[in-house]
Amino acid sequence: MADQALLGPQRRALILDLVRRTGAVRVADLVEQFGVSDMTIRRDLDELARAGEVEKIYGGAVASGARAEEPGFEAKTQRESAAKAALADAAVALVEPGSVVAVSAGTTAHAVASRLLDVRGLTVVTNSLPVADLLREHTAKHPGTGPTLLLTGGTPTPSAALVGPLADQAIRSLHVDVLLIGAHGVSERTGLTTPNLAEAQTNRALIASARRVVAVADHSKWGVVGLSAFAALNELDCFVTDSALDPTARAVLGEQVGRLIVADVP
């Protein structure tokens, strides 16, 4: 509730707590919450930014260091590898034999794709060059087995995702049973985000084409906010994460998403 009686340090402490819990805040929301002027909130964010507590962005702020540049696919491959393997096993259990599955770009989605090789009769739609390479190599070694591949086309990003109008047009013409999608960052307020604007647009097209949307993201993605959001938490039918995720974040996801699956990681 709005509370104009709060002193500046108290208000800034509450703002900082909100940023740490949700990953990002918007000036307009803070103005309404605290019942103070736009300029007062902006001064609060300026002071928190000078102290290194937050990073200001257009219209608000994110947790300090949360808005990272987009790393390449190879640079991300070894991060949280054990968690990705556990998440992949849990996610592939949601895929029915003979279905049409869309797989987004990213190393977590790539790990999931490696498990799809054993599911019978799949058609896999992807905008990921590494996922396409994985499926093609499997088919070359084992003719007549593995999924049928549909690659969207488009312009590659640093994370080896095909994006842009060509990819979006191809995806919009399709209807898939389930989408398995990763994210650069996840937070309560911003949902799923990526540093790449074009990739966010292509991800939205993938989501619109899918009957069910399954997000797959390990605990390290929570609180990270990329430049562009592409899905709110309440748009997700299922969220697959690992057991290292903070209990507070689990509670938020449990309330927002259709189904939360927490995979145990040794």
Side-chain angles (χ1 to χ4, degrees):
M1 295 179 62
D3 188 351
Q4 295 174 301
L6 285 174
L7 298 175
Q10 295 174 310
R11 188 175 58 250
R12 287 189 287 276
L14 290 172
I15 292 172
L16 181 57
D17 178 67
L18 188 60
V19 171
R20 287 172 173 169
R21 285 190 292 108
T22 65
V25 291
R26 295 195 309 164
V27 170
D29 294 337
L30 296 176
V31 167
E32 181 178 354
Q33 179 174 344
F34 293 106
V36 295
S37 70
D38 179 281
M39 289 305 300
T40 296
I41 293 298
R42 292 186 186 278
R43 284 194 295 268
D44 286 338
L45 295 180
D46 285 340
E47 187 158 336
L48 290 171
R50 283 194 295 271
E53 300 286 3
V54 304
E55 179 184 350
K56 290 191 68 180
I57 59 173
Y58 181 78
V62 298
S64 182
R67 190 181 57 163
E69 295 300 318
E70 181 179 20
F73 182 87
E74 295 300 329
K76 296 187 289 185
T77 299
Q78 300 305 316
R79 296 181 184 176
E80 302 293 342
S81 56
K84 288 173 183 174
L87 268 57
D89 289 336
V92 77
L94 303 172
V95 176
E96 296 288 339
S99 58
V100 180
V101 181
V103 180
S104 76
T107 54
T108 303
H110 184 270
V112 175
S114 70
R115 305 305 198 270
L116 294 176
L117 299 174
D118 298 323
V119 183
R120 293 180 294 103
L122 294 183
T123 297
V124 175
V125 177
T126 188
N127 69 321
S128 167
L129 290 171
V131 168
D133 288 341
L134 173 73
L135 298 181
R136 282 202 303 265
E137 289 172 6
H138 177 83
T139 300
K141 293 178 182 177
H142 309 280
T145 67
T148 299
L149 169 65
L150 295 176
L151 186 61
T152 64
T155 304
T157 69
S159 61
L162 295 176
V163 300
L166 181 61
D168 299 347
Q169 182 178 359
I171 292 166
R172 282 194 291 266
S173 69
L174 303 173
H175 301 281
V176 303
D177 296 308
V178 60
L179 165 64
L180 302 169
I181 190 165
H184 172 80
V186 185
S187 80
E188 179 179 5
R189 184 173 297 274
T190 61
L192 307 187
T193 59
T194 172
N196 190 293
L197 289 168
E199 188 166 350
Q201 183 63 33
T202 299
N203 284 345
R204 293 186 197 108
L206 284 168
I207 290 168
S209 75
R211 185 168 58 84
R212 286 192 300 144
V213 179
V214 177
V216 188
D218 68 72
H219 69 278
S220 69
K221 304 296 181 68
W222 184 259
V224 176
V225 179
L227 177 64
S228 184
F230 58 87
L233 296 182
N234 60 15
E235 294 180 76
L236 306 175
D237 297 290
C238 185
F239 192 99
V240 183
T241 189
D242 64 276
S243 53
L245 184 67
D246 179 84
T248 302
R250 289 196 204 186
V252 170
L253 288 167
E255 293 176 357
Q256 294 283 337
V257 304
R259 178 185 178 190
L260 176 63
I261 296 176
V262 180
D264 287 326
V265 178

